[in-house]
């Protein structure tokens, strides 16, 4: 088996027609509608992005200036049992179709107006049978549950064993793999679900499965499973070490037979796939057959495409002649978890940090990917498990605001009542280490635990607001740790750009700006992951010369949040940051003490 990076358009294929009855009710065969030359629809200028997150599938439509015309979402089912988290590809496809149809209806966009489509998704793992049918990855054999979700931690033992091999490939993952990655999960399935292992014909990242489902073309993007392969930046010829690695960790049979189970061909983001939408998928999505579809990206990477060129006009003019200005920016995609992404022209290896990955997000740039495994999920956990949560939720609903907006107001009131010079100081006695789902970056310790220091018997609404503030600060200190670590190893990050659900929280962003001591740029459009997905469709439709040109045309800056100029704020956060760092060091000491006691 050889990795092939294909420069041309893949041959059209549609192998999934035989299995459509599993996905939807039988439909009459559709005739192929004519399309214009070069794979571009003859009318319109609207681009569609689809994002499959942890809890929903979303669709957004954008014009040729990157302005959102309309969006819609549809929930998706998720099963959680201890460390196992699973989803259904059938359910996800239904949700995608519902979201696309709703978005088009809300935006009053006709099928012929959509000239390109891009998909993005979490880096979850899909098990696909020989006929395209779902294969169970669950202990109970439920065939619906064919996806191991990105946040699944069942493969802790397998990750440790893979790390013990000290393969050269691991340097691209900061020296160790996480149980959230595909290789440990694949090894877990092989060792625990032998029937599943024998039945699976293809293992696919969710984003690649979506484009395969839409076009019938199984060509992969440079997503997590494909990043195990390092390619030459000049000719894009593989170094050929991938098979050696898979064999070394006990997964060499992924390459057995004429069909490699993890794919043969890998292309740049936005590369046009097959002949666009197949008749069946076009009918299900409410779009036209042949609509161009670009290779997918991981959701966080799509967020990077949708925001990384979102700089104010004055800065944009200054950067026009600086090809590497983009390398000074780090994008934070803040959702259930947070991904921190920065690019460089040079290959930078950083301990405990994923990457560098060539062209995984922007062609010809090396991507460094950091992250926090639980941010939005952690805030939800802190709030929902507090005694005051039901009362605050009712109060928020009566005032037509979210519980987080209400707590932001409560904190301002508390600061005023206590004559605090700045609200951040309310948390002086409460310190949070936010590793409730391990530490992805920069210490790469999936066994790390969350810590809350400073609890009392208080169960009031004010106490919940205070705990919420301290948790936000803990998350922001984690970002500071990541940025300092990256800059110490060759990056020159001096500006942050933030998008995602948490970026809409003014307190969350201001605390990050104060703690980082640098400006945070918020994009004009809120739905930047969807915009990034749409950019993939733009490129597939050949509306721009490439991903970077599309980003420059469609990204736009909105508000710039600057750090406080009060020196007391900096002094306060510097002190709390040192306490934050010590919480993990104390945990390591405690872990060692107890291990010795139990030895």
């Amino acid at each position: 088996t050889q990795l092939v990076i294909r420069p041309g358009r893949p041959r059209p294929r549609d192998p999934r027609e035989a299995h459509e009855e599993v996905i939807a009710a039988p439909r009459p065969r559709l005739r192929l509608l004519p399309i214009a030359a070069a794979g571009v629809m003859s009318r319109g200028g609207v681009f569609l992005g689809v994002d499959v997150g942890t809890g929903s599938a979303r669709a957004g439509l954008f014009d040729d200036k990157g302005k959102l015309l309309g969006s819609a979402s549809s929930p998706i089912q998720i099963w959680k049992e201890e460390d196992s988290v699973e989803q259904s590809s059938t359910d996800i496809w239904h949700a995608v179709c519902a979201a696309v149809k709703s978005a088009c209806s809300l935006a009053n966009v006709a099928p012929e107006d959509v000239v390109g489509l891009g998909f993005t998704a979490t880096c979850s793992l899909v098990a696909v049978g020989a006929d395209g049918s779902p294969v169970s990855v669950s202990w109970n054999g439920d065939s619906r549950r064919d996806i191991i979700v990105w946040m699944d931690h069942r493969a802790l033992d397998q990750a440790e064993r893979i790390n013990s091999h000290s393969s050269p490939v691991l340097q691209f993952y900061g020296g160790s793999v996480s149980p959230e990655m595909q290789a440990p999960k694949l090894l877990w399935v092989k060792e625990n679900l032998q029937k599943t292992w024998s039945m699976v014909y293809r293992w696919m990242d969710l984003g690649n499965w979506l484009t395969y489902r839409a076009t019938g073309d199984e060509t992969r993007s440079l997503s997590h499973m494909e990043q195990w392969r390092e390619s030459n930046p000049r000719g894009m010829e593989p170094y050929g070490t991938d098979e050696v690695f898979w064999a070394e960790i006990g997964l060499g049979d992924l390459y057995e037979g004429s069909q490699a189970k993890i794919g043969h061909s890998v292309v740049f983001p936005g590369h046009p796939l097959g002949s666009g939408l197949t008749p069946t998928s076009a009918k299900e999505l409410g779009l036209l057959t042949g609509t161009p579809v670009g290779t997918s990206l991981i959701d966080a990477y799509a967020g990077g495409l949708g925001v990384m060129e979102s700089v104010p006009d004055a800065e944009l003019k200054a950067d026009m002649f600086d090809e590497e200005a983009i390398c000074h920016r780090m994008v934070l995609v803040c959702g259930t978890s947070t991904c921190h992404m920065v690019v460089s022209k040079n290959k930078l290896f950083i301990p405990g940090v994923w990457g560098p990955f060539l062209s995984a997000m922007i062609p010809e740039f090396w991507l460094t990917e950091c992250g926090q495994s639980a941010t939005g999920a952690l805030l939800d956990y802190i709030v929902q498990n507090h005694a005051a949560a039901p009362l605050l939720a009712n109060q928020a609903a009566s005032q037509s605001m979210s519980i987080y907006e209400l707590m932001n107001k409560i904190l301002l009131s508390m600061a005023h009542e206590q004559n605090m010079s700045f609200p951040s100081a309310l948390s002086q006695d409460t310190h949070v280490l936010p590793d409730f789902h391990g530490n992805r970056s920069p210490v790469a310790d999936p066994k790390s635990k969350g810590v809350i220091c400073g609890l009392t018997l208080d169960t009031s609404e004010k106490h919940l607001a205070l705990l919420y503030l301290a948790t936000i600060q803990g998350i922001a200190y984690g970002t500071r740790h990541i940025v300092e670590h990256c800059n110490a190893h060759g990056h020159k990050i001096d500006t942050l750009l933030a998008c995602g659900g948490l970026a809409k929280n003014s307190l969350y962003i201001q605390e990050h700006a104060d703690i980082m001591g640098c400006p945070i740029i918020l994009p004009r459009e809120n739905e930047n992951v969807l915009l990034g997905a749409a950019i993939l469709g733009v490129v597939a439709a050949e509306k721009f010369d490439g991903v970077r040109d599309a980003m420059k045309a469609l990204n736009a800056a909105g508000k710039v949040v600057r750090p406080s100029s009060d020196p007391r704020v900096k002094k306060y956060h510097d002190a709390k940051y040192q306490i934050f760092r010590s919480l993990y060091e104390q945990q390591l000491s405690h872990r060692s003490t107890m291990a010795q006691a139990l030895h």
Side-chain angles (χ1 to χ4, degrees), residues 356-530:
F357 305 131
L358 180 63
S359 301
M361 184 169 74
I362 302 174
E364 313 254 335
F365 282 84
W366 292 93
L367 171 67
T368 295
E369 180 189 357
C370 314
Q372 294 165 295
S373 294
T375 49
L378 175 58
L379 290 172
D380 288 344
Y381 173 83
I382 292 294
V383 171
Q384 292 168 5
N385 286 278
H386 195 281
L391 180 60
L392 268 185
N394 288 334
Q395 291 179 13
S398 68
Q399 298 178 46
S400 299
M401 62 174 62
S402 72
I403 192 170
Y404 299 105
E405 290 173 311
L406 179 57
M407 286 190 291
N408 292 351
K409 289 179 62 177
I410 290 173
L411 289 166
L412 288 175
S413 176
M414 289 172 63
H416 179 72
E417 291 171 2
Q418 298 179 33
N419 293 318
M420 292 282 186
S421 55
F422 52 95
S424 299
L426 289 165
S427 66
Q428 60 188 289
D429 294 323
T430 308
H431 310 282
V432 175
L433 182 69
D435 296 355
F436 284 59
H437 199 54
N439 183 290
R440 187 187 301 167
S441 308
V443 298
D445 182 0
K447 293 184 178 180
S448 184
K449 302 295 189 291
V451 176
I452 301 175
C453 177
L455 290 175
T456 70
L457 295 176
D458 191 353
T459 59
S460 68
E461 303 97 290
K462 289 183 177 179
H463 178 263
L464 174 52
L466 179 62
L467 191 56
Y468 157 73
L469 171 63
T471 304
I472 286 177
Q473 291 171 343
I475 292 169
Y477 296 135
T479 291
R480 176 170 168 175
H481 192 192
I482 287 169
V483 171
E484 288 182 355
H485 187 68
C486 288
N487 283 346
H489 289 84
H491 282 291
K492 298 176 181 178
I493 303 159
D494 58 23
T495 301
L496 300 184
L497 300 99
C499 65
L502 291 177
K504 301 171 187 177
N505 185 326
S506 59
L507 177 67
Y508 188 89
I509 295 301
Q510 187 62 60
E511 288 297 306
H512 274 71
D514 291 345
I515 286 167
M516 296 302 306
C518 71
I520 298 181
I521 301 172
L522 301 177
R524 179 192 67 194
E525 299 296 332
N526 287 328
E527 299 293 356
N528 299 94
V529 176
L530 287 175

Side-chain angles (χ1 to χ4, degrees), residues 8 14 23 44 57 65 71 76 97 110 130 146 178 185 243 248 297 313 352 462 479 495 515 567 572:
D14 189 4
I23 303 300
K65 302 296 183 184
S71 65
I76 54 181
C97 294
D146 61 336
S178 160
K185 291 173 180 173
E243 289 187 55
E248 185 179 71
L297 276 179
D313 290 341
K462 289 183 177 179
T479 291
T495 301
I515 286 167
Y572 176 81

